[in-house]
């Protein structure tokens, strides 16, 4: 849970955690552009909500749909900005 993460951060002296989804992330939908875009957006919205709820504790690296979907990647970069 988020509270457990904050507790662990406190115990370890970590002031800020950067949220980042590891591979494969949205790339798992490389053959389905709509699903890749939808997953990237859901991940970014969830992460942004965490960051906005406690910006001193959390930052994020945005998730992108598969990079073969250049239009979707650009749209998600603009959204995450």
């Amino acid at each position: 849970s988020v509270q457990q993460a904050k507790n662990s951060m406190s115990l370890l002296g970590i002031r800020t955690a950067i949220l980042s989804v590891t591979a494969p992330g949205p790339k798992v939908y490389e053959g389905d552009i709509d699903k890749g875009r939808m997953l990237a957006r859901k991940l970014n919205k969830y992460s942004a909500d965490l960051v906005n709820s406690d910006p001193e504790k959390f930052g994020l690296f945005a998730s992108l749909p598969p990079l073969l979907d250049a239009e979707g990647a650009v749209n998600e970069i603009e959204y995450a900005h």
Side-chain angles (χ1 to χ4, degrees):
S1 77
V2 174
Q3 190 55 50
Q4 288 174 322
K6 287 182 180 182
N7 291 343
S8 295
M9 290 168 62
S10 179
L11 286 171
L12 296 170
I14 298 169
R15 292 188 346 194
T16 304
I18 304 300
L19 307 171
S20 177
V21 175
T22 60
K27 185 178 175 156
V28 74
Y29 292 121
E30 201 160 37
D32 189 328
I33 288 174
D34 291 334
K35 284 185 179 180
R37 288 179 180 185
M38 185 172 29
L39 179 57
R41 182 59 56 96
K42 284 182 178 183
L43 292 167
N44 289 329
K45 174 136 180 43
Y46 179 80
S47 298
D49 288 346
L50 283 176
V51 171
N52 290 331
S53 73
D54 197 344
E56 291 187 16
K57 285 282 183 202
F58 297 108
L60 73 95
F61 292 125
S63 295
L64 298 177
L67 294 179
L68 295 176
D69 174 15
E71 180 183 342
V74 169
N75 289 339
E76 207 55 33
I77 290 168
E78 290 174 353
Y79 173 79
H81 183 266

